[in-house]
Amino acid sequence: MSELNLPGTQVPDSRGYFGAYGGRFIPEALVAAVEQVAEEYEKAKADPAFAAELDALLKDYTGRPSPLTDVHRFSAEAGGARVLLKREDLNHTGSHKINNVLGQALLTRRMGKTRIIAETGAGQHGVATATACALFGFDCTIYMGEVDTQRQALNVARMRMLGAEVIPVKSGSRTLKDAINEAFRDWVANVDSTHYLFGTVAGPHPFPMMVRDFHRVIGIEARQQVLDRTGRLPDAVVACVGGGSNAMGIFHEFIPDAGVRLIGCEAAGDGADTPKHAATLTKGDPGVLHGSRTYVLQDEDGQTIESHSISAGLDYPGVGPEHAWLKDTGRAEYRPVTDRAAMEALRLLSRTEGIIPAIESAHALAGALELGRELGPEATILVSLSGRGDKDMHTAAEYFGLYDDAEGTN
Amino acid sequence: MADTKLTTALAAAKAEGRAALIGYLPAGFPTVDGGIAAINALIEGGCDVVEVGLPHSDPVLDGAVIQTADDIALRGGVKIKDVLRTVAEVAAAHPAVPVLVMTYWNPVDRYGVARFAADLAAAGGAGCILPDLPVEEAAEWRKAAGEHGLDTVFVVAPSSKDARLAEVTAAGSGFVYAAAVMGVTGTRSAVGNLAEDLVARTRATTALPVCVGLGVSNADQAAEVAAFADGVIVGSAFVKRLLDAADPEAGTAAVRALAADLATGVRRK
């Protein structure tokens, strides 16, 4: 994690634009705070002590580098293509989210702030944030949609165990979008003491760039691991995309490798052509949501349309602006993956490899199964296994009928 | 700078030696026609300027009161065309009173920037307040607004540094909106001293009138703010009157009565 500088690609520009996407659409009350984050981040990037401290945390606290796992029995179901999993699920706290959280926690300390707020969908970002706040001694408040507090109850308990206050958000769709709204409202009122530790590559500049930079370690490690293991680059890199942080983290190092396909898997819920999905890049239109210009699920009046996904972490009607740019430039492809396909992939990886993935990550696995069947046995596919599935066992048990005396819904 | 309906109305209040009273209500709340009646009641009660809110699915700068009203309006099916009709009917009923639209940026972006400016001007609107559009992102809107004779009111905040205040006030027209509490919209029990300091710092950068919004809900607070500001902006207190009313007619009457009460506040010496 010692190289925070960009490789080759000169995005975003000084105003935070990735092509037509990004920018900073925020109220005046937040301008000073967001500028402070941007300035402090630039100073931190130039400070070897910052990189050294972050490197040490990633190694000794998170457990990096995360392994690369060959999944032979799973690969047999993916048309014989060689599937390699980048094991972000094995990080401390159980997902990739900790990479960004530790970086921003160090930044918070540099800014002299003592309180952190965050939004969370599946609870993985909330758990990682609560963890860092315990480690650094910050006050911590996590906003989580009421629907998500129910379907990810284990993570609510984890956050509270770590000393965080978890506030269920009852407005709007009561999911991730509304948790972000409520976190912004808190930030406007408490900006002097508080850093908003944004959890994905969305939001106003510099968050899309900064969160990506803190997750670049995923792709930097994985690219070298694949080269060492196979002697060549993969044919494709596959990751799930909600806001898109694990995907940007693993994609970024491969952007200059023109022969490597970058494939983001969006949550298609009941199907991208039904009213119930979260396939923002597939079905949305350019607009402004949560501080940046990007693709948004919206109606003809610019009102946000509620998203739907069995995965709380992908249930979001926006997406990071760099993904919008990668889509429009054609450098990355985005595919919809239904709830059903994701849950089948979750069960398949569990039973063929003894690895229970998060439902979010299962969308990427479903994408890899489809892609492997297209590309055949000569292909190598790198998949970001962004998180582990413990938190999803209630949802999975209901879905598959795993409780005694219960019938599954599917 | 040419006189507009907005600058004329604010100058008239100043000529009377008082602050202007600016009232806000969302369009479509409780219904489109009910909203028009309530906004007309703002003016009948004594507001010098009105702001028509464009309800939004994600009102991140608004507190619970306006969130609830926006939600009711959207569930009732309010569309941008209904907001424009609201502007048109209020402007037709009160030709001298400037009617502004207050909206989050995405609806304007989606509708089409030039199209929105043209349609708002055609409806008789006087300008826009765009609280999540900072000056750096506002070039396209300002061009369109200028072509259609619309004022663009920018917001300043207690956290705005002096150099920043100068940039923001230089970009705006009509007046400067001093959002003088750090937080979302909603009524407050005390005026606080952030507001007076912000007004003084803002005035040091501009000749535009400086109007203050900070959750004023009664005549005493209006008088207190009027003593140091060019205008007093009231929103949530009016919305709350409509939310609390037994029926729409009672709500409209309560809005008219509160406007009249606040109008005495801004005239207090």
Side-chain angles (χ1 to χ4, degrees):
Chain A
M1 191 65 205
S2 43
E3 31 184 323
L4 283 164
N5 295 322
L6 302 183
T9 56
Q10 293 302 310
V11 292
D13 67 15
S14 61
R15 294 171 61 222
Y17 274 90
F18 304 85
Y21 303 103
R24 192 182 272 172
F25 294 82
I26 53 173
E28 191 59 29
L30 290 179
V31 167
V34 171
E35 284 180 351
Q36 183 191 14
V37 172
E39 286 163 17
E40 198 63 44
Y41 178 56
E42 291 305 316
K43 283 187 217 162
K45 274 202 288 192
D47 179 358
F50 180 83
E53 192 170 6
L54 184 54
D55 276 346
L57 281 169
L58 291 177
K59 176 168 173 285
D60 302 330
Y61 191 71
T62 305
R64 301 209 74 90
S66 64
L68 186 75
T69 303
D70 254 296
V71 285
H72 302 288
R73 277 163 44 77
F74 183 84
S75 290
E77 304 289 330
R82 184 175 185 179
V83 177
L84 295 160
L85 304 184
K86 178 60 174 167
R87 300 294 302 280
E88 293 299 296
D89 61 315
L90 294 178
N91 293 336
H92 179 45
T93 73
S95 80
H96 70 291
K97 293 292 189 185
I98 191 78
N99 303 324
N100 164 53
V101 165
L102 290 173
Q104 288 198 50
L106 287 174
L107 204 66
T108 304
R109 198 180 62 193
R110 287 176 70 102
M111 292 189 292
K113 294 190 172 183
T114 56
R115 176 173 178 264
I116 282 179
I117 58 173
E119 83 293 344
T120 198
Q124 293 300 91
H125 178 58
V127 167
T129 301
T131 297
C133 288
L135 178 66
F136 284 81
F138 298 133
D139 291 333
C140 183
T141 300
I142 305 293
Y143 291 94
M144 189 170 187
E146 191 179 41
V147 169
D148 296 337
T149 62
Q150 289 158 7
R151 59 180 164 172
Q152 309 278 213
L154 174 68
N155 275 345
V156 175
R158 291 170 78 196
M159 288 183 267
R160 289 180 174 150
M161 178 60 65
L162 291 158
E165 180 185 14
V166 180
I167 300 182
V169 175
K170 297 179 167 71
S171 56
S173 56
R174 297 178 292 135
T175 57
L176 180 54
K177 164 181 86 76
D178 308 284
I180 294 174
N181 291 347
E182 207 57 36
F184 269 113
R185 290 180 186 121
D186 182 317
W187 204 23
V188 172
N190 299 292
V191 69
D192 285 345
S193 68
T194 299
H195 176 59
Y196 181 6
L197 206 162
F198 203 65
T200 192
V201 289
H205 178 64
F207 285 101
M209 171 184 77
M210 181 172 71
V211 176
R212 174 201 71 194
D213 289 351
F214 287 137
H215 283 304
R216 277 188 61 220
V217 64
I218 305 170
I220 291 170
E221 287 176 5
R223 188 174 181 280
Q224 191 60 49
Q225 287 168 319
V226 173
L227 283 172
D228 291 347
R229 183 79 55 91
T230 70
R232 65 181 186 91
L233 290 171
D235 296 287
V237 181
V238 181
C240 65
V241 177
S245 66
N246 91 87
M248 270 325 306
I250 199 165
F251 284 175
H252 198 258
E253 192 67 5
F254 290 96
I255 289 175
D257 299 321
V260 179
R261 289 170 70 182
L262 306 177
I263 298 175
C265 296
E266 297 196 286
D270 290 350
D273 294 320
T274 73
K276 291 199 158 189
H277 65 80
T280 306
L281 287 163
T282 305
K283 303 300 275 189
D285 297 288
V288 172
L289 178 66
H290 294 146
S292 58
R293 174 176 298 285
T294 185
Y295 279 79
V296 181
L297 294 178
Q298 57 179 327
D299 70 11
E300 73 284 1
D301 265 10
Q303 309 288 1
T304 312
I305 295 172
E306 289 185 10
S307 56
H308 294 274
S309 169
I310 194 169
S311 149
L314 305 182
D315 195 349
Y316 181 56
V319 65
E322 193 165 5
H323 286 294
W325 176 72
L326 289 172
K327 173 190 158 78
D328 281 13
T329 59
R331 180 62 190 91
E333 311 156 47
Y334 296 88
R335 296 181 171 195
V337 172
T338 61
D339 286 353
R340 176 179 294 272
M343 294 306 285
E344 289 302 328
L346 185 154
R347 181 159 64 181
L348 183 65
L349 189 73
S350 300
R351 296 194 174 177
T352 57
E353 302 291 340
I355 299 169
I356 302 178
I359 298 177
E360 290 76 20
S361 317
H363 287 72
L365 293 166
L369 289 171
E370 182 184 87
L371 187 69
R373 289 163 194 155
E374 290 167 23
L375 298 181
E378 301 306 312
T380 299
I381 301 171
L382 171 65
V383 177
S384 177
L385 197 74
S386 55
R388 69 182 186 219
D390 307 44
K391 68 185 177 61
D392 294 316
M393 283 308 93
H394 179 63
T395 302
E398 301 233 303
Y399 190 89
F400 292 118
L402 305 180
Y403 292 132
D404 287 339
D405 305 322
E407 282 185 23
T409 55
N410 282 268
Chain B
M1 200 178 297
D3 285 341
T4 62
K5 200 190 270 191
L6 180 57
T7 58
T8 302
L10 293 169
K14 186 174 183 156
E16 290 177 21
R18 65 172 178 91
L21 178 62
I22 302 171
Y24 164 96
L25 281 171
F29 169 67
T31 60
V32 176
D33 287 332
I36 291 167
I39 294 164
N40 281 329
L42 290 175
I43 298 170
E44 292 150 15
C47 286
D48 301 289
V49 178
V50 292
E51 301 171 10
V52 175
L54 195 158
H56 191 45
S57 53
D58 293 277
V60 296
L61 290 173
D62 287 303
V65 169
I66 292 175
Q67 284 179 50
T68 302
D70 276 14
D71 202 36
I72 290 169
L74 290 171
R75 276 192 278 119
V78 69
K79 308 294 282 182
I80 290 177
K81 66 178 169 52
D82 300 310
V83 178
L84 292 169
R85 176 163 80 83
T86 299
V87 171
E89 296 209 9
V90 173
H94 304 278
V97 175
V99 182
L100 304 172
V101 166
M102 182 145 186
T103 177
Y104 292 91
W105 177 243
N106 196 48
V108 178
D109 188 85
R110 179 72 164 154
Y111 191 85
V113 174
R115 178 182 169 216
F116 189 83
D119 289 358
L120 178 58
C128 258
I129 307 168
L130 302 156
D132 63 347
L133 188 74
V135 288
E136 291 81 1
E137 304 285 358
E140 187 184 3
W141 166 258
R142 287 173 59 203
K143 179 170 177 287
E147 285 169 5
H148 292 282
L150 297 170
D151 280 311
T152 302
V153 173
F154 282 100
V155 179
V156 296
S159 57
S160 308
K161 294 170 187 148
D162 290 347
R164 173 81 189 169
L165 287 176
E167 288 173 39
V168 174
T169 58
S173 65
F175 67 90
V176 181
Y177 188 131
V181 179
M182 291 301 286
V184 296
T185 56
T187 58
R188 320 269 162 180
S189 54
V191 167
N193 52 15
L194 281 176
E196 196 162 354
D197 173 66
L198 177 59
V199 170
R201 292 196 298 121
T202 305
R203 281 206 177 118
T205 69
T206 182
L208 290 172
V210 182
C211 302
V212 170
L214 50 43
V216 162
S217 61
N218 60 50
D220 287 347
Q221 290 176 334
E224 200 178 333
V225 174
F228 59 83
D230 299 305
V232 180
I233 304 167
V234 180
S236 294
F238 287 122
V239 175
K240 200 159 184 321
R241 288 296 192 282
L242 290 178
L243 283 172
D244 291 346
D247 58 68
E249 290 70 29
T252 301
V255 163
R256 188 182 294 110
L258 177 60
D261 188 37
L262 295 165
T264 65
V266 299
R267 287 170 172 79
R268 212 177 279 171
K269 299 294 177 191

